[in-house]
Amino acid sequence: MHTLYIKTYGCQMNEYDSTRMVELLAASHGLRVVDDPAAADLLLLNTCSIREKAEDKVYTQLGFWRPLKERNPDLIIGVGGCVASQEGMRLRRRAPFVDLVFGPQTLHRLPDMLDAALASRQPQVDVDFPFLEKFDHLPERPGQNGPSAFVTIMEGCDKFCTFCVVPHTRGREYSRPMPDIIREVRSLVGQGVREITLLGQNVNAYRGATGLIGEAGLAELLERLARIPGLLRLRYTTSHPNDLDDALIAAHGSIPTLAPHLHLPVQSGSDRILKRMHRKHQVASYLEKIDKLRAARPDIRFSSDFIVGFPGETDADFAATMDLIAAVRFDQSYSFKYSPRPGTPALKLKDAVPEAVKEERLAILQGRINALAQEYAQAMLGTRQEVLVTGPSRRDARELTGKTGCNRSVNFAGPAVLSGQMVLVEITETMPNSLRARWSGDLLPADAVEPRGFAHARA
Ligand code: SAH
Ligand code: SF4
Ligand code: F3S
């Protein structure tokens, strides 16, 4: 066993999990990542189950890998993530050549499962939910490649929205203790990471042990992380509106390193549909939080997730969603047609919306959001923006690419040594999915601004 190939579907939490699996298997078995599945001794598929055809996609991919296994019987194939969690043993029945099946909460057991499969030549299936154990069994983070990193701070979801598989595939909510998270972030910053995105499916429900006495929420954790010298930008995603408390709203006003962008999924602008979705928030309560956040951080922008065509959604319900979009003026959102998912209560709801109507509503909604995104981009022309440079641009290696605080991609000409630095640029042009800028020589190096802590500390 020397080489590993891994393919990842789904959300940022899955990306984080895949990174940790690679680090884990490098530490346990000395495995090295290769970018050609035919050159690998171990093939891993980290799966997502959020929308329709998720299972089909997994079985199709496994179908591509099957001939590799036929040619090389020593090849080990493993499937993890949310489809694995949902399917369990069923996955082996449909794809008997799979050796390892593990869930989002059992990936830390991969080295042992791999040893057992190698020794016994028997399949290993473990999609249990042993809470908190996962993070206690992952190695220290080794060398990072890039100035941005994800850190999962809480797992699972207790909300049980009627359309959603996540509580079923990732299990109940649990939060990592603050000292563990702070240690992980410090180690990443020590390796040159300048931006951290804290992850959870319901990240603002975070409540972790402080290390002293008791527990505290996300606002406290953000304040502690903001004190780490060299950490220039903090984000967190994804948030349920109900768990956005006043302390967290205040943190957006007091922590300058907290990016002026928040992804706050609303799903629908109709209270009747929100109720059927079991979202437990209303349009008015959502708008109230948006107002408070804007009061705390006037330059903040919002993005959201929307589902169109949820069972029972009428023209009037959809119009209410469009009204909400007009009221909040979202920037760059994600929108989907409702798709029925196994084991979710919405399966039983009547009044399915015809596919053609879903298509039409999705196109209208996306058109509006795109127009808003272009308006925001136009308004940025001529402004100076802090950009974290991630590296050379993919299209033109002589150019650099990076992200603004509001999460826009920016390309500009500049020396390669700027990679991994925070710079100030002037926006000169808008493109359909990115911005162009001019760099005038201003740098915000980590050591020149440390610690960027709190507003009062800078005064
Ligand atoms: N925890 C987040 C979202 C997690 S899932 C929240 O509470 O909002 C990411 C997005 O996928 C959801 O916001 C929703 O818009 C979409 N989604 C989830 N289940 C879906 C389904 N059955 N059909 C269509 N979209 C779905
Ligand atoms: Fe799914 Fe709702 Fe939990 Fe988000 S809050 S992960 S949509 S159940
Ligand atoms: Fe998908 Fe699971 Fe993430 S269903 S969106 S991989 S939590």
Side-chain angles (χ1 to χ4, degrees), residues 50-51 161 163-164 166 201-202 238-240 265 267 279 305-307 336-341:
I50 203 77
R51 277 173 290 275
C161 302
F163 52 81
C164 184
V166 172
Q201 268 306 347
N202 200 7
T238 169
S239 298
H240 189 287
Q267 314 299 353
R279 282 290 288 183
D305 290 345
F306 297 92
I307 295 179
F336 316 95
K337 291 181 286 181
Y338 166 71
S339 60
R341 304 302 298 133

Side-chain angles (χ1 to χ4, degrees), residues 264-284:
L264 195 60
V266 66
Q267 314 299 353
S268 167
S270 154
D271 283 339
R272 206 177 66 82
I273 294 297
L274 289 172
K275 199 155 181 209
R276 281 167 79 90
M277 289 176 163
H278 199 54
R279 282 290 288 183
K280 303 190 209 114
H281 61 80
Q282 295 79 38
V283 174

Side-chain angles (χ1 to χ4, degrees), residues 234-245:
L234 274 164
R235 303 180 188 276
Y236 61 91
T237 196
T238 169
S239 298
H240 189 287
N242 279 9
D243 292 314
L244 191 86
D245 61 14

Side-chain angles (χ1 to χ4, degrees), residues 391-413:
S393 146
R394 250 182 298 169
R395 291 235 178 99
D396 181 349
R398 288 164 304 179
E399 298 232 313
L400 294 170
T401 189
K403 281 269 167 80
T404 64
C406 58
N407 220 11
R408 296 262 180 171
S409 292
V410 178
N411 296 307
F412 63 99

Side-chain angles (χ1 to χ4, degrees), residues 105-418:
Q105 311 308 352
T106 49
L107 57 90
H108 59 288
R109 296 183 182 161
L110 257 179
D112 290 343
M113 292 173 76
L114 182 59
D115 284 338
L118 288 168
S120 67
R121 289 281 140 198
Q122 291 297 312
Q124 308 291 315
V125 178
D126 183 354
V127 290
D128 199 5
F129 296 112
F131 296 131
L132 267 184
E133 196 188 287
K134 164 175 168 182
F135 294 100
D136 289 340
H137 290 77
L138 295 171
E140 287 289 313
R141 314 277 321 252
Q144 298 300 307
N145 42 19
S148 281
F150 294 136
V151 173
T152 292
I153 63 165
M154 60 96 62
E155 280 282 352
C157 180
D158 289 348
K159 288 285 186 290
F160 288 94
C161 302
T162 53
F163 52 81
C164 184
V165 291
V166 172
H168 311 277
T169 59
R170 283 203 176 245
R172 297 293 74 70
E173 283 175 5
Y174 73 85
S175 298
R176 296 175 66 189
M178 284 192 194
D180 289 7
I181 297 166
I182 294 169
R183 198 177 317 120
E184 186 171 334
V185 171
R186 275 189 188 282
S187 139
L188 291 167
V189 172
Q191 297 170 43
V193 169
R194 296 287 165 258
E195 174 185 75
I196 295 279
T197 304
L198 304 177
L199 298 180
Q201 268 306 347
N202 200 7
V203 70
N204 51 358
Y206 175 84
R207 235 190 131 66
T210 57
L212 299 165
I213 309 163
E215 298 184 332
L218 183 58
E220 166 82 21
L221 177 63
L222 287 165
E223 284 177 11
R224 288 205 194 179
L225 293 174
R227 291 191 200 116
I228 297 177
L231 181 56
L232 301 183
R233 193 185 272 163
L234 274 164
R235 303 180 188 276
Y236 61 91
T237 196
T238 169
S239 298
H240 189 287
N242 279 9
D243 292 314
L244 191 86
D245 61 14
D246 285 342
L248 188 52
I249 292 172
H252 280 273
S254 64
I255 305 178
T257 35
L258 195 51
H261 169 250
L262 182 63
H263 185 66
L264 195 60
V266 66
Q267 314 299 353
S268 167
S270 154
D271 283 339
R272 206 177 66 82
I273 294 297
L274 289 172
K275 199 155 181 209
R276 281 167 79 90
M277 289 176 163
H278 199 54
R279 282 290 288 183
K280 303 190 209 114
H281 61 80
Q282 295 79 38
V283 174
S285 63
Y286 184 86
L287 287 172
E288 194 184 314
K289 303 227 166 164
I290 296 277
D291 286 347
K292 282 186 177 176
L293 281 157
R294 283 201 168 121
R297 178 91 200 233
D299 60 339
I300 195 166
R301 290 195 206 165
F302 300 97
S303 59
S304 181
D305 290 345
F306 297 92
I307 295 179
V308 298
F310 189 74
E313 187 189 71
T314 62
D315 285 340
D317 294 319
F318 177 65
T321 299
M322 295 304 292
D323 288 346
L324 178 70
I325 292 172
V328 180
R329 299 178 54 81
F330 293 99
D331 182 10
Q332 296 183 318
S333 291
Y334 301 91
S335 43
F336 316 95
K337 291 181 286 181
Y338 166 71
S339 60
R341 304 302 298 133
T344 59
L347 284 179
K348 297 200 188 71
L349 292 176
K350 304 228 162 28
D351 306 318
V353 174
E355 196 56 29
V357 176
K358 285 189 198 171
E359 296 271 359
E360 191 188 343
R361 288 180 186 164
L362 188 67
I364 294 170
L365 189 149
Q366 290 183 338
R368 181 71 184 117
I369 297 271
N370 288 343
L372 283 171
Q374 288 308 320
E375 282 175 33
Y376 277 112
Q378 290 295 330
M380 287 172 84
L381 280 176
T383 64
R384 273 157 66 88
Q385 299 284 330
E386 284 186 13
V387 168
L388 182 65
V389 184
T390 42
S393 146
R394 250 182 298 169
R395 291 235 178 99
D396 181 349
R398 288 164 304 179
E399 298 232 313
L400 294 170
T401 189
K403 281 269 167 80
T404 64
C406 58
N407 220 11
R408 296 262 180 171
S409 292
V410 178
N411 296 307
F412 63 99
V417 289
L418 293 186

